[in-house]
Amino acid sequence: IIVDGKYKFTITDEGNGNLKTDYKGEAGGIELSAISGTYVYPTTGTFEVVKNISGGELSVKSENENIAKASISGTTVTVISQNVAGTVKIIVTSAAKGEYAEQKAVYKATVENGTISLEATEYTGIYDGKDHDAVSNVKVTPTDATVEYSIDGGTFSSTIPKVNGATTYTVVVKATKAGYATKTLTKTVIVGKNTQTGNLTLSASSATITYPTAGTFTVTKNTSGGTLSVTSSDTSVATATISGTTVTITPKAISEDGKQTTITVTSAATSNYEEQTQNYTATVNRGTISLDADAYTGNYDGSDHDAVSNVKVTPTDA
């Protein structure tokens, strides 16, 4: 109890209905420049003791040094934030001096977690059969923060995950450090299907065949391993079939030479490759008939004779 703004007493209940009064001297009057402040780890801050009437020696103490520490130099109190977030009382004390009793003032320091800056670039590309880092150009501040990675919901690891197959991946980058709020980035990594030309190649791009002889060519490269199929653009000129990697062209009976059809070979899409096609041009000519015969020669004898004999024709069903 301070009487008349100056005289300081303590009143103690002795438990038997009696109150004990002790005079502690004159109140010294201590005043601070602020009563509270907020600090983002790891920053520090100061406030001042702007009044200390008694002139008593000043000291300072933090009630929880895990949250903030405090020191004093002259009349300047320095608050040093620590890596545990929370609010702590900083007690400034002016020691008893002469007729003045000890005085205390309270400053409340609120410490907030620091902020981590985190950047990363996701991989983009098409399937090439190789492993690639899922993210790159990872930048973190503070630089000694711990960075970990998780892919598609897996456990976190300090190793950057690899991507290979053509699909969509979800990569989480996480940075942690004592005293700082955890920072996470979610990156979507898309590896596209391979569409490069050259994944499907043929042994030839064109040929001329003569009815009724069939023609063939082969698929010399099918990188994706997709199922092979074949079609003819004009089945009245020729049809096409495939067995393994060999394409067989079966010509049709046509009315004039030089008829053409486009044979399209398709490799079906797979998990890592888009559908691929290659074209082959088949030109069909009519077949050649071989024909021999002997003419009749002789004198008139009044009888009928075959005008020709020994007729030979190929094909025999002509």
Short mmCIF file of all heavy atoms in Angstrom, two decimals, residues 229-296:
data_model
loop_
_atom_site.label_atom_id
_atom_site.label_comp_id
_atom_site.label_asym_id
_atom_site.label_seq_id
_atom_site.Cartn_x
_atom_site.Cartn_y
_atom_site.Cartn_z
N SER A 229 -0.13 -51.77 -85.33
CA SER A 229 -1.27 -52.07 -86.20
C SER A 229 -1.03 -51.40 -87.54
O SER A 229 -0.16 -50.52 -87.67
CB SER A 229 -2.58 -51.59 -85.57
OG SER A 229 -2.54 -50.18 -85.39
N VAL A 230 -1.81 -51.81 -88.58
CA VAL A 230 -1.59 -51.29 -89.92
C VAL A 230 -2.92 -51.15 -90.64
O VAL A 230 -3.84 -51.95 -90.44
CB VAL A 230 -0.62 -52.20 -90.70
CG1 VAL A 230 -1.21 -53.57 -90.93
CG2 VAL A 230 -0.19 -51.57 -92.01
N THR A 231 -3.04 -50.10 -91.48
CA THR A 231 -4.24 -49.88 -92.29
C THR A 231 -3.83 -49.45 -93.69
O THR A 231 -2.74 -48.89 -93.89
CB THR A 231 -5.15 -48.81 -91.68
OG1 THR A 231 -4.42 -47.58 -91.57
CG2 THR A 231 -5.68 -49.22 -90.32
N SER A 232 -4.73 -49.69 -94.63
CA SER A 232 -4.54 -49.23 -96.00
C SER A 232 -5.58 -48.17 -96.30
O SER A 232 -6.76 -48.34 -95.96
CB SER A 232 -4.68 -50.40 -96.99
OG SER A 232 -4.72 -49.93 -98.33
N SER A 233 -5.16 -47.08 -96.97
CA SER A 233 -6.10 -46.00 -97.26
C SER A 233 -7.06 -46.37 -98.39
O SER A 233 -8.13 -45.76 -98.51
CB SER A 233 -5.34 -44.73 -97.62
OG SER A 233 -4.59 -44.91 -98.82
N ASP A 234 -6.69 -47.34 -99.24
CA ASP A 234 -7.56 -47.75 -100.34
C ASP A 234 -7.45 -49.27 -100.49
O ASP A 234 -6.54 -49.78 -101.14
CB ASP A 234 -7.17 -47.06 -101.63
CG ASP A 234 -8.19 -47.26 -102.75
OD1 ASP A 234 -9.01 -48.19 -102.63
OD2 ASP A 234 -8.15 -46.49 -103.73
N THR A 235 -8.38 -49.98 -99.88
CA THR A 235 -8.32 -51.44 -99.91
C THR A 235 -8.69 -52.02 -101.26
O THR A 235 -8.52 -53.23 -101.48
CB THR A 235 -9.24 -52.03 -98.83
OG1 THR A 235 -10.57 -51.54 -99.04
CG2 THR A 235 -8.76 -51.66 -97.44
N SER A 236 -9.18 -51.18 -102.19
CA SER A 236 -9.43 -51.68 -103.55
C SER A 236 -8.13 -51.76 -104.35
O SER A 236 -8.09 -52.38 -105.41
CB SER A 236 -10.44 -50.78 -104.28
OG SER A 236 -9.88 -49.50 -104.53
N VAL A 237 -7.09 -51.11 -103.86
CA VAL A 237 -5.77 -51.16 -104.49
C VAL A 237 -4.91 -52.22 -103.82
O VAL A 237 -4.28 -53.05 -104.49
CB VAL A 237 -5.08 -49.79 -104.44
CG1 VAL A 237 -3.65 -49.88 -104.99
CG2 VAL A 237 -5.88 -48.76 -105.21
N ALA A 238 -4.88 -52.22 -102.47
CA ALA A 238 -4.11 -53.22 -101.72
C ALA A 238 -4.56 -53.22 -100.28
O ALA A 238 -5.01 -52.19 -99.75
CB ALA A 238 -2.62 -52.94 -101.80
N THR A 239 -4.46 -54.36 -99.64
CA THR A 239 -4.71 -54.46 -98.21
C THR A 239 -3.39 -54.71 -97.50
O THR A 239 -2.39 -55.06 -98.13
CB THR A 239 -5.69 -55.60 -97.90
OG1 THR A 239 -5.15 -56.83 -98.41
CG2 THR A 239 -7.05 -55.34 -98.54
N ALA A 240 -3.37 -54.53 -96.18
CA ALA A 240 -2.14 -54.70 -95.42
C ALA A 240 -2.42 -55.41 -94.11
O ALA A 240 -3.46 -55.20 -93.48
CB ALA A 240 -1.47 -53.36 -95.15
N THR A 241 -1.49 -56.27 -93.73
CA THR A 241 -1.55 -56.96 -92.45
C THR A 241 -0.17 -56.90 -91.81
O THR A 241 0.83 -56.63 -92.48
CB THR A 241 -1.97 -58.43 -92.62
OG1 THR A 241 -1.03 -59.08 -93.50
CG2 THR A 241 -3.37 -58.53 -93.19
N ILE A 242 -0.11 -57.15 -90.50
CA ILE A 242 1.17 -57.13 -89.80
C ILE A 242 1.28 -58.36 -88.91
O ILE A 242 0.30 -58.78 -88.28
CB ILE A 242 1.35 -55.83 -88.98
CG1 ILE A 242 2.78 -55.72 -88.45
CG2 ILE A 242 0.32 -55.72 -87.85
CD1 ILE A 242 3.13 -54.35 -87.90
N SER A 243 2.47 -58.94 -88.88
CA SER A 243 2.78 -60.06 -88.01
C SER A 243 4.13 -59.78 -87.39
O SER A 243 5.15 -59.71 -88.10
CB SER A 243 2.81 -61.37 -88.79
OG SER A 243 3.18 -62.45 -87.95
N GLY A 244 4.14 -59.60 -86.08
CA GLY A 244 5.39 -59.20 -85.43
C GLY A 244 5.76 -57.81 -85.89
O GLY A 244 5.01 -56.85 -85.68
N THR A 245 6.88 -57.69 -86.60
CA THR A 245 7.28 -56.39 -87.15
C THR A 245 7.24 -56.39 -88.67
O THR A 245 7.71 -55.44 -89.30
CB THR A 245 8.70 -56.04 -86.67
OG1 THR A 245 9.61 -57.06 -87.09
CG2 THR A 245 8.76 -55.88 -85.16
N THR A 246 6.70 -57.43 -89.29
CA THR A 246 6.65 -57.54 -90.76
C THR A 246 5.27 -57.17 -91.27
O THR A 246 4.27 -57.76 -90.86
CB THR A 246 7.02 -58.95 -91.21
OG1 THR A 246 8.34 -59.27 -90.76
CG2 THR A 246 6.97 -59.06 -92.73
N VAL A 247 5.25 -56.20 -92.19
CA VAL A 247 4.00 -55.78 -92.82
C VAL A 247 3.92 -56.42 -94.21
O VAL A 247 4.87 -56.34 -94.99
CB VAL A 247 3.93 -54.25 -92.95
CG1 VAL A 247 2.64 -53.84 -93.68
CG2 VAL A 247 3.99 -53.60 -91.58
N THR A 248 2.79 -57.06 -94.49
CA THR A 248 2.56 -57.68 -95.79
C THR A 248 1.49 -56.90 -96.54
O THR A 248 0.41 -56.64 -96.00
CB THR A 248 2.12 -59.14 -95.63
OG1 THR A 248 3.16 -59.86 -94.95
CG2 THR A 248 1.86 -59.78 -96.99
N ILE A 249 1.82 -56.52 -97.82
CA ILE A 249 0.89 -55.78 -98.67
C ILE A 249 0.37 -56.74 -99.74
O ILE A 249 1.15 -57.31 -100.51
CB ILE A 249 1.58 -54.59 -99.34
CG1 ILE A 249 2.23 -53.69 -98.27
CG2 ILE A 249 0.60 -53.79 -100.18
CD1 ILE A 249 3.17 -52.67 -98.84
N THR A 250 -0.93 -56.90 -99.81
CA THR A 250 -1.56 -57.80 -100.79
C THR A 250 -2.27 -56.96 -101.84
O THR A 250 -3.26 -56.28 -101.53
CB THR A 250 -2.56 -58.73 -100.10
OG1 THR A 250 -1.89 -59.46 -99.06
CG2 THR A 250 -3.17 -59.71 -101.10
N PRO A 251 -1.74 -56.95 -103.08
CA PRO A 251 -2.35 -56.12 -104.12
C PRO A 251 -3.68 -56.69 -104.59
O PRO A 251 -3.94 -57.88 -104.50
CB PRO A 251 -1.31 -56.14 -105.24
CG PRO A 251 -0.62 -57.45 -105.07
CD PRO A 251 -0.59 -57.71 -103.59
N LYS A 252 -4.53 -55.82 -105.14
CA LYS A 252 -5.82 -56.21 -105.71
C LYS A 252 -5.76 -56.09 -107.23
O LYS A 252 -4.89 -55.41 -107.79
CB LYS A 252 -6.93 -55.32 -105.15
CG LYS A 252 -7.13 -55.42 -103.64
CD LYS A 252 -7.69 -56.77 -103.26
CE LYS A 252 -8.04 -56.81 -101.78
NZ LYS A 252 -8.64 -58.08 -101.38
N ALA A 253 -6.72 -56.76 -107.91
CA ALA A 253 -6.82 -56.64 -109.36
C ALA A 253 -7.31 -55.25 -109.71
O ALA A 253 -8.37 -54.82 -109.24
CB ALA A 253 -7.77 -57.69 -109.90
N ILE A 254 -6.50 -54.52 -110.48
CA ILE A 254 -6.84 -53.15 -110.82
C ILE A 254 -6.99 -53.01 -112.33
O ILE A 254 -6.55 -53.87 -113.10
CB ILE A 254 -5.77 -52.18 -110.29
CG1 ILE A 254 -4.38 -52.59 -110.78
CG2 ILE A 254 -5.83 -52.11 -108.77
CD1 ILE A 254 -3.28 -51.63 -110.35
N SER A 255 -7.57 -51.91 -112.75
CA SER A 255 -7.87 -51.73 -114.18
C SER A 255 -6.76 -51.02 -114.93
O SER A 255 -6.74 -51.03 -116.16
CB SER A 255 -9.18 -50.94 -114.33
OG SER A 255 -9.07 -49.68 -113.69
N GLU A 256 -5.86 -50.38 -114.21
CA GLU A 256 -4.75 -49.67 -114.85
C GLU A 256 -3.55 -49.64 -113.92
O GLU A 256 -3.69 -49.75 -112.70
CB GLU A 256 -5.16 -48.25 -115.24
CG GLU A 256 -5.63 -47.40 -114.07
CD GLU A 256 -6.04 -46.00 -114.50
OE1 GLU A 256 -5.13 -45.21 -114.82
OE2 GLU A 256 -7.26 -45.71 -114.50
N ASP A 257 -2.38 -49.49 -114.51
CA ASP A 257 -1.14 -49.47 -113.72
C ASP A 257 -1.03 -48.18 -112.91
O ASP A 257 -1.64 -47.15 -113.24
CB ASP A 257 0.08 -49.59 -114.63
CG ASP A 257 0.22 -50.96 -115.26
OD1 ASP A 257 -0.43 -51.90 -114.75
OD2 ASP A 257 0.96 -51.09 -116.26
N GLY A 258 -0.20 -48.25 -111.84
CA GLY A 258 0.16 -47.05 -111.07
C GLY A 258 -0.81 -46.63 -110.00
O GLY A 258 -0.71 -45.53 -109.45
N LYS A 259 -1.75 -47.48 -109.66
CA LYS A 259 -2.65 -47.15 -108.56
C LYS A 259 -1.87 -47.15 -107.24
O LYS A 259 -0.99 -47.98 -107.03
CB LYS A 259 -3.79 -48.17 -108.47
CG LYS A 259 -4.77 -48.13 -109.64
CD LYS A 259 -5.68 -46.94 -109.55
CE LYS A 259 -6.78 -47.00 -110.60
NZ LYS A 259 -7.70 -45.85 -110.50
N GLN A 260 -2.20 -46.21 -106.35
CA GLN A 260 -1.46 -46.08 -105.09
C GLN A 260 -2.39 -46.15 -103.88
O GLN A 260 -3.56 -45.77 -103.95
CB GLN A 260 -0.68 -44.76 -105.03
CG GLN A 260 0.49 -44.69 -106.00
CD GLN A 260 1.30 -43.43 -105.81
OE1 GLN A 260 0.79 -42.41 -105.35
NE2 GLN A 260 2.58 -43.50 -106.16
N THR A 261 -1.83 -46.63 -102.77
CA THR A 261 -2.51 -46.60 -101.49
C THR A 261 -1.49 -46.30 -100.41
O THR A 261 -0.30 -46.63 -100.54
CB THR A 261 -3.22 -47.94 -101.18
OG1 THR A 261 -3.91 -47.82 -99.94
CG2 THR A 261 -2.22 -49.09 -101.09
N THR A 262 -1.92 -45.62 -99.37
CA THR A 262 -1.03 -45.28 -98.25
C THR A 262 -1.21 -46.31 -97.14
O THR A 262 -2.33 -46.49 -96.62
CB THR A 262 -1.33 -43.87 -97.70
OG1 THR A 262 -1.11 -42.92 -98.74
CG2 THR A 262 -0.41 -43.55 -96.52
N ILE A 263 -0.13 -46.97 -96.78
CA ILE A 263 -0.13 -47.94 -95.69
C ILE A 263 0.34 -47.21 -94.43
O ILE A 263 1.47 -46.72 -94.39
CB ILE A 263 0.78 -49.14 -96.00
CG1 ILE A 263 0.43 -49.75 -97.37
CG2 ILE A 263 0.69 -50.17 -94.88
CD1 ILE A 263 -0.99 -50.26 -97.49
N THR A 264 -0.52 -47.11 -93.43
CA THR A 264 -0.18 -46.41 -92.19
C THR A 264 0.10 -47.42 -91.09
O THR A 264 -0.76 -48.25 -90.76
CB THR A 264 -1.31 -45.47 -91.75
OG1 THR A 264 -1.54 -44.51 -92.78
CG2 THR A 264 -0.95 -44.75 -90.45
N VAL A 265 1.31 -47.34 -90.53
CA VAL A 265 1.70 -48.20 -89.41
C VAL A 265 1.57 -47.37 -88.13
O VAL A 265 2.08 -46.25 -88.05
CB VAL A 265 3.14 -48.71 -89.57
CG1 VAL A 265 3.53 -49.58 -88.36
CG2 VAL A 265 3.29 -49.49 -90.87
N THR A 266 0.88 -47.90 -87.13
CA THR A 266 0.64 -47.19 -85.87
C THR A 266 1.22 -47.98 -84.71
O THR A 266 1.01 -49.19 -84.60
CB THR A 266 -0.87 -46.99 -85.64
OG1 THR A 266 -1.42 -46.23 -86.73
CG2 THR A 266 -1.14 -46.25 -84.32
N SER A 267 1.95 -47.24 -83.84
CA SER A 267 2.39 -47.79 -82.56
C SER A 267 1.52 -47.15 -81.49
O SER A 267 1.53 -45.93 -81.31
CB SER A 267 3.87 -47.48 -82.30
OG SER A 267 4.25 -47.91 -81.00
N ALA A 268 0.72 -47.96 -80.79
CA ALA A 268 -0.26 -47.44 -79.83
C ALA A 268 0.43 -46.70 -78.68
O ALA A 268 1.59 -46.96 -78.33
CB ALA A 268 -1.11 -48.58 -79.29
N ALA A 269 -0.31 -45.75 -78.09
CA ALA A 269 0.21 -45.00 -76.94
C ALA A 269 0.49 -45.94 -75.77
O ALA A 269 -0.21 -46.93 -75.54
CB ALA A 269 -0.81 -43.94 -76.52
N THR A 270 1.54 -45.61 -75.02
CA THR A 270 1.89 -46.33 -73.80
C THR A 270 1.92 -45.33 -72.65
O THR A 270 1.62 -44.15 -72.83
CB THR A 270 3.25 -47.03 -73.93
OG1 THR A 270 4.27 -46.03 -74.09
CG2 THR A 270 3.27 -47.97 -75.14
N SER A 271 2.31 -45.79 -71.48
CA SER A 271 2.32 -44.90 -70.32
C SER A 271 3.30 -43.75 -70.49
O SER A 271 3.12 -42.66 -69.92
CB SER A 271 2.67 -45.68 -69.05
OG SER A 271 3.94 -46.29 -69.17
N ASN A 272 4.35 -43.95 -71.29
CA ASN A 272 5.38 -42.93 -71.43
C ASN A 272 5.47 -42.31 -72.83
O ASN A 272 6.21 -41.34 -73.02
CB ASN A 272 6.76 -43.50 -71.07
CG ASN A 272 6.88 -43.83 -69.61
OD1 ASN A 272 6.41 -43.09 -68.76
ND2 ASN A 272 7.49 -44.96 -69.29
N TYR A 273 4.73 -42.88 -73.79
CA TYR A 273 4.82 -42.39 -75.16
C TYR A 273 3.42 -42.16 -75.73
O TYR A 273 2.50 -42.93 -75.48
CB TYR A 273 5.53 -43.41 -76.06
CG TYR A 273 7.01 -43.56 -75.77
CD1 TYR A 273 7.45 -44.41 -74.76
CD2 TYR A 273 7.96 -42.88 -76.52
CE1 TYR A 273 8.81 -44.56 -74.49
CE2 TYR A 273 9.31 -43.03 -76.27
CZ TYR A 273 9.74 -43.86 -75.25
OH TYR A 273 11.07 -44.01 -74.98
N GLU A 274 3.31 -41.10 -76.54
CA GLU A 274 2.08 -40.88 -77.27
C GLU A 274 2.06 -41.82 -78.48
O GLU A 274 3.08 -42.40 -78.86
CB GLU A 274 2.00 -39.42 -77.76
CG GLU A 274 1.83 -38.40 -76.65
CD GLU A 274 0.45 -38.41 -76.03
OE1 GLU A 274 -0.36 -39.29 -76.37
OE2 GLU A 274 0.19 -37.52 -75.18
N GLU A 275 0.88 -41.97 -79.08
CA GLU A 275 0.74 -42.77 -80.28
C GLU A 275 1.66 -42.22 -81.38
O GLU A 275 1.79 -41.00 -81.55
CB GLU A 275 -0.71 -42.75 -80.75
CG GLU A 275 -0.98 -43.50 -82.05
CD GLU A 275 -2.43 -43.40 -82.47
OE1 GLU A 275 -3.26 -44.14 -81.91
OE2 GLU A 275 -2.73 -42.55 -83.34
N GLN A 276 2.31 -43.12 -82.12
CA GLN A 276 3.19 -42.74 -83.22
C GLN A 276 2.71 -43.40 -84.51
O GLN A 276 2.23 -44.54 -84.49
CB GLN A 276 4.62 -43.18 -82.93
CG GLN A 276 5.26 -42.54 -81.71
CD GLN A 276 5.80 -41.15 -82.03
OE1 GLN A 276 6.67 -40.98 -82.87
NE2 GLN A 276 5.25 -40.15 -81.35
N THR A 277 2.83 -42.71 -85.64
CA THR A 277 2.47 -43.28 -86.94
C THR A 277 3.56 -43.01 -87.96
O THR A 277 4.27 -42.00 -87.86
CB THR A 277 1.14 -42.71 -87.46
OG1 THR A 277 1.27 -41.30 -87.64
CG2 THR A 277 -0.01 -43.03 -86.51
N GLN A 278 3.68 -43.92 -88.93
CA GLN A 278 4.55 -43.73 -90.09
C GLN A 278 3.81 -44.23 -91.32
O GLN A 278 3.07 -45.23 -91.26
CB GLN A 278 5.87 -44.50 -89.93
CG GLN A 278 6.85 -43.88 -88.94
CD GLN A 278 7.46 -42.58 -89.45
OE1 GLN A 278 7.28 -42.22 -90.61
NE2 GLN A 278 8.17 -41.89 -88.58
N ASN A 279 4.01 -43.56 -92.45
CA ASN A 279 3.32 -43.91 -93.69
C ASN A 279 4.27 -44.55 -94.71
O ASN A 279 5.47 -44.20 -94.78
CB ASN A 279 2.67 -42.67 -94.31
CG ASN A 279 1.50 -42.17 -93.50
OD1 ASN A 279 0.82 -42.95 -92.83
ND2 ASN A 279 1.25 -40.88 -93.56
N TYR A 280 3.70 -45.46 -95.48
CA TYR A 280 4.41 -46.17 -96.54
C TYR A 280 3.51 -46.11 -97.78
O TYR A 280 2.31 -46.42 -97.70
CB TYR A 280 4.66 -47.62 -96.10
CG TYR A 280 5.31 -48.53 -97.10
CD1 TYR A 280 6.67 -48.78 -97.05
CD2 TYR A 280 4.55 -49.18 -98.08
CE1 TYR A 280 7.28 -49.65 -97.96
CE2 TYR A 280 5.15 -50.05 -98.98
CZ TYR A 280 6.51 -50.27 -98.92
OH TYR A 280 7.10 -51.13 -99.81
N THR A 281 4.07 -45.71 -98.93
CA THR A 281 3.28 -45.61 -100.16
C THR A 281 3.51 -46.83 -101.02
O THR A 281 4.65 -47.14 -101.42
CB THR A 281 3.66 -44.34 -100.95
OG1 THR A 281 3.44 -43.19 -100.13
CG2 THR A 281 2.82 -44.23 -102.22
N ALA A 282 2.42 -47.53 -101.32
CA ALA A 282 2.49 -48.73 -102.18
C ALA A 282 1.88 -48.40 -103.53
O ALA A 282 0.72 -47.95 -103.61
CB ALA A 282 1.76 -49.89 -101.53
N THR A 283 2.67 -48.58 -104.59
CA THR A 283 2.19 -48.41 -105.97
C THR A 283 1.95 -49.80 -106.56
O THR A 283 2.86 -50.65 -106.52
CB THR A 283 3.20 -47.63 -106.82
OG1 THR A 283 3.44 -46.35 -106.21
CG2 THR A 283 2.68 -47.43 -108.25
N VAL A 284 0.77 -50.02 -107.14
CA VAL A 284 0.41 -51.33 -107.66
C VAL A 284 0.27 -51.25 -109.20
O VAL A 284 -0.44 -50.38 -109.72
CB VAL A 284 -0.90 -51.84 -107.04
CG1 VAL A 284 -1.30 -53.20 -107.64
CG2 VAL A 284 -0.74 -51.94 -105.52
N ASN A 285 0.96 -52.17 -109.89
CA ASN A 285 0.81 -52.33 -111.34
C ASN A 285 0.10 -53.65 -111.63
O ASN A 285 0.15 -54.60 -110.83
CB ASN A 285 2.17 -52.32 -112.04
CG ASN A 285 2.80 -50.93 -112.02
OD1 ASN A 285 2.10 -49.94 -111.95
ND2 ASN A 285 4.13 -50.89 -112.10
N ARG A 286 -0.52 -53.69 -112.80
CA ARG A 286 -1.17 -54.94 -113.21
C ARG A 286 -0.10 -56.00 -113.51
O ARG A 286 1.03 -55.67 -113.93
CB ARG A 286 -2.01 -54.72 -114.45
CG ARG A 286 -3.25 -53.87 -114.20
CD ARG A 286 -3.94 -53.51 -115.50
NE ARG A 286 -3.08 -52.69 -116.34
CZ ARG A 286 -3.37 -52.33 -117.59
NH1 ARG A 286 -4.51 -52.75 -118.13
NH2 ARG A 286 -2.54 -51.58 -118.28
N GLY A 287 -0.47 -57.23 -113.34
CA GLY A 287 0.46 -58.33 -113.63
C GLY A 287 0.66 -58.52 -115.15
O GLY A 287 -0.09 -57.99 -115.98
N THR A 288 1.67 -59.30 -115.54
CA THR A 288 1.98 -59.59 -116.94
C THR A 288 1.60 -61.03 -117.27
O THR A 288 1.96 -61.96 -116.54
CB THR A 288 3.48 -59.38 -117.20
OG1 THR A 288 3.81 -58.03 -116.89
CG2 THR A 288 3.82 -59.66 -118.66
N ILE A 289 0.87 -61.20 -118.38
CA ILE A 289 0.48 -62.55 -118.82
C ILE A 289 1.52 -63.04 -119.83
O ILE A 289 1.88 -62.32 -120.78
CB ILE A 289 -0.91 -62.54 -119.46
CG1 ILE A 289 -1.98 -62.18 -118.40
CG2 ILE A 289 -1.23 -63.89 -120.10
CD1 ILE A 289 -3.37 -62.08 -118.96
N SER A 290 1.98 -64.27 -119.63
CA SER A 290 2.88 -64.93 -120.60
C SER A 290 2.04 -65.85 -121.48
O SER A 290 1.27 -66.68 -120.97
CB SER A 290 3.96 -65.72 -119.86
OG SER A 290 4.70 -66.49 -120.77
N LEU A 291 2.17 -65.71 -122.83
CA LEU A 291 1.30 -66.46 -123.75
C LEU A 291 2.11 -66.96 -124.96
O LEU A 291 2.79 -66.17 -125.61
CB LEU A 291 0.15 -65.56 -124.23
CG LEU A 291 -0.88 -66.18 -125.17
CD1 LEU A 291 -1.61 -67.34 -124.49
CD2 LEU A 291 -1.87 -65.11 -125.62
N ASP A 292 2.07 -68.28 -125.23
CA ASP A 292 2.72 -68.91 -126.41
C ASP A 292 1.70 -69.76 -127.18
O ASP A 292 0.79 -70.34 -126.57
CB ASP A 292 3.88 -69.81 -125.99
CG ASP A 292 5.05 -69.02 -125.42
OD1 ASP A 292 5.31 -67.93 -125.94
OD2 ASP A 292 5.70 -69.52 -124.46
N ALA A 293 1.88 -69.87 -128.49
CA ALA A 293 1.03 -70.75 -129.32
C ALA A 293 1.75 -71.04 -130.65
O ALA A 293 2.52 -70.21 -131.14
CB ALA A 293 -0.32 -70.10 -129.57
N ASP A 294 1.50 -72.24 -131.23
CA ASP A 294 2.05 -72.61 -132.54
C ASP A 294 0.96 -72.46 -133.59
O ASP A 294 -0.17 -72.96 -133.43
CB ASP A 294 2.54 -74.06 -132.54
CG ASP A 294 3.73 -74.26 -131.60
OD1 ASP A 294 4.48 -73.27 -131.40
OD2 ASP A 294 3.89 -75.38 -131.06
N ALA A 295 1.28 -71.74 -134.67
CA ALA A 295 0.32 -71.58 -135.77
C ALA A 295 0.27 -72.86 -136.62
O ALA A 295 1.27 -73.54 -136.81
CB ALA A 295 0.73 -70.38 -136.64
N TYR A 296 -0.92 -73.19 -137.15
CA TYR A 296 -1.08 -74.37 -138.03
C TYR A 296 -0.46 -74.08 -139.39
O TYR A 296 -0.62 -72.99 -139.94
CB TYR A 296 -2.55 -74.72 -138.19
CG TYR A 296 -2.78 -75.80 -139.23
CD1 TYR A 296 -2.53 -77.14 -138.93
CD2 TYR A 296 -3.20 -75.48 -140.54
CE1 TYR A 296 -2.72 -78.14 -139.88
CE2 TYR A 296 -3.39 -76.46 -141.49
CZ TYR A 296 -3.14 -77.79 -141.16
OH TYR A 296 -3.32 -78.77 -142.10
#
